[in-house]
Amino acid sequence: MWSWKQMAALVPHAAGDDVDWTACLQAFPQLELARATPQDPVFHAEGDVWTHTQMVVRELLEDGDYARLAPAERETVFLAALLHDVAKCSTTQVDGHGRISQPGHSRKGALDARLMLWEAGAPVAQREAICRLIAVHQMPFFAFADSRRGLSPEFIVRELSWQVDLHLLVLLARADIRGRICPDVGNVLVNIELLRELALEEGCLRTPRRFASAETAVRYFRGAELHPDYALHEEPGSQVVVMCGLPASGKNTWVAQHHPGLPVVSFDDARAELGLRHGQNEGAAAHLAVDKARALLRAGAPFVWNATHLSRQMRGKSVDLCLAYGACVQLVHLEAAKPVLLERNRNRDTTLSNAALLSMLHRWEVPLPTEAHGLQLLASERP
């Protein structure tokens, strides 16, 4: 098992530096599968995924902007380039006409990278910067083409700026399109440059696009037709802290230390109140917890919603309910190193086994800043 320090040492800091490809494969064994993963010959005439990955990394190192990055930024974009297609091996499909596709490989790749970097002990913020780049690495290709979600280029740029450093995303996208043999490379490079120019106009190439208020941003990213520069009227409502994180990550301890006087809505408490084991009649436990949350929201009372909220879909249900009552929502994502997590789970009074806990990792989507009024990404201390 490679450590984060060893992984970071793989990163070249200048165009002339050599890449230790053997060490890269040792650090990230899943990349070995890239050697035997085919790609659509129309868009990847260079061949397999590993060949493409090496070409992308070389193009990144040749980009003049790469050498001007700070060391941590070089680590972030280099590792994103190295891992940007890491999930193509598990998402490859061949249709009846022999056409090859890898649907969802960007999102799946972000999850795969997260698990590898988490086990290596990567800093939380930098790990997520890498994973977010992987998740959206092809977005610049299409921002000025027909949007797949029916969104304007302005919306796409503003939203992306809250998720990634757009300068790093531009570097990654340029390397990705140059590091392959395919038609229309020139047109795609124009789209990438247009995205960069729009980000400069919006003042968000290196920082999130400014909004008149957090409420304005939250509603905008949920589809409200408004302008970022004009504050939306805010109704007074509950102040809600929504906890996110794997079981045994230290959420109960954090809540007790930071919000000792607030009511807590908890699926675990609801499960205990109903006398249920973990995984047994989850619907009844959720119904009881939601009823308690509704009562607090109607009263405009502050509270903590303490649950795993691992996937964006599950978080969205809780956050949407709070927003429907005019609440201000702060997301707190808490995590612990894998050995600490498993040790804590073994030592606590729970019906959740370590095997069941680890099976939850495939749903682990760390929150994005666009999901709520505020976001904290925290690592809990060892007990």
Side-chain angles (χ1 to χ4, degrees):
M1 175 66 67
W2 280 53
S3 69
W4 166 249
K5 184 177 181 180
Q6 291 172 305
M7 290 176 177
L10 295 172
V11 178
H13 293 286
D17 292 349
D18 292 330
V19 178
D20 189 338
W21 298 112
T22 300
C24 289
L25 291 169
Q26 292 171 346
F28 303 101
Q30 190 169 323
L31 287 174
E32 285 283 1
L33 300 175
R35 294 175 181 271
T37 302
Q39 300 181 104
D40 189 321
V42 174
F43 298 104
H44 287 281
E46 72 279 1
D48 61 72
V49 174
W50 181 236
T51 298
H52 167 61
T53 298
Q54 291 175 292
M55 292 172 66
V56 170
V57 169
R58 291 190 182 103
E59 289 290 344
L60 175 68
L61 298 182
E62 291 296 328
D63 193 311
D65 286 334
Y66 178 82
R68 290 188 283 271
L69 296 174
E73 293 172 331
R74 288 196 290 267
E75 293 169 1
T76 296
V77 73
F78 174 87
L79 291 172
L82 184 65
L83 299 173
H84 78 286
D85 281 346
V86 71
K88 279 190 171 180
C89 62
S90 60
T91 57
T92 299
Q93 297 178 2
V94 182
D95 68 16
H97 303 286
R99 292 298 300 271
I100 301 168
S101 63
Q102 284 102 359
H105 77 275
S106 299
R107 181 176 176 180
K108 178 65 164 54
L111 175 56
D112 291 351
R114 176 172 296 117
L115 296 183
M116 289 185 282
L117 295 170
W118 171 60
E119 292 195 356
V124 177
Q126 189 170 7
R127 183 198 71 209
E128 288 308 304
I130 295 167
C131 295
R132 291 174 186 174
L133 284 172
I134 294 170
V136 299
H137 71 267
Q138 288 187 312
M139 287 290 291
F141 292 9
F142 311 111
F144 279 83
D146 293 333
S147 171
R148 298 178 179 185
R149 292 187 291 163
L151 303 174
S152 69
E154 288 80 8
F155 183 95
I156 292 171
V157 165
R158 292 164 183 170
E159 184 180 49
L160 284 173
S161 76
W162 277 54
Q163 299 174 8
V164 298
D165 182 323
L166 284 175
H167 181 57
L168 299 186
L169 180 60
V170 165
L171 265 63
L172 177 58
R174 285 198 305 233
D176 189 11
I177 194 62
R178 288 171 174 162
R180 65 175 76 191
I181 300 173
C182 72
D184 287 337
V185 170
N187 288 336
V188 174
L189 286 171
V190 168
N191 282 340
I192 295 169
E193 184 60 23
L194 286 172
L195 180 139
R196 180 181 177 278
E197 289 300 316
L198 181 55
L200 285 171
E201 290 179 13
E202 293 281 330
C204 61
L205 183 65
R206 300 306 305 258
T207 58
R209 208 287 187 187
R210 289 177 61 88
F211 276 74
S213 67
E215 177 73 6
T216 305
V218 166
R219 301 297 175 175
Y220 178 84
F221 291 130
R222 276 173 163 71
E225 295 186 2
L226 49 84
H227 195 279
D229 296 337
Y230 297 94
L232 191 66
H233 175 69
E234 299 182 44
E235 295 290 341
S238 299
Q239 300 288 318
V240 184
V241 176
V242 175
M243 303 299 297
C244 316
L246 288 159
S249 58
K251 296 188 294 298
N252 292 345
T253 301
W254 190 91
V255 171
Q257 290 176 345
H258 293 86
H259 299 287
L262 291 186
V264 177
V265 173
S266 167
F267 293 119
D268 285 342
D269 291 347
R271 199 178 292 115
E273 187 175 335
L274 295 171
L276 300 173
R277 293 172 58 85
H278 200 281
Q280 180 185 14
N281 201 350
E282 293 289 338
H287 185 75
L288 182 62
V290 168
D291 280 351
K292 182 177 180 180
R294 286 184 188 277
L296 291 164
L297 289 165
R298 282 194 294 267
F303 67 95
V304 176
W305 198 321
N306 191 1
T308 56
H309 289 129
L310 284 188
S311 69
R312 182 167 186 173
Q313 181 181 18
M314 294 306 298
R315 278 193 304 275
K317 293 179 180 179
S318 299
V319 173
D320 287 347
L321 176 62
C322 294
L323 293 179
Y325 284 86
C328 178
V329 180
Q330 302 291 323
L331 291 174
V332 176
H333 170 80
L334 197 64
E335 62 180 70
K338 184 177 180 179
V340 174
L341 198 72
L342 298 181
E343 179 184 352
R344 286 177 179 169
N345 195 57
R346 276 194 301 267
N347 294 335
R348 66 185 187 141
D349 182 17
T350 180
T351 58
L352 179 69
S353 68
N354 275 350
L357 189 158
L358 292 175
S359 72
M360 302 169 73
L361 289 171
H362 73 278
R363 294 187 280 113
W364 186 21
E365 296 176 313
V366 173
L368 295 170
T370 49
E371 294 183 35
H373 296 85
L375 170 64
Q376 294 184 72
L377 300 181
L378 305 173
S380 65
E381 297 297 328
R382 190 178 183 91

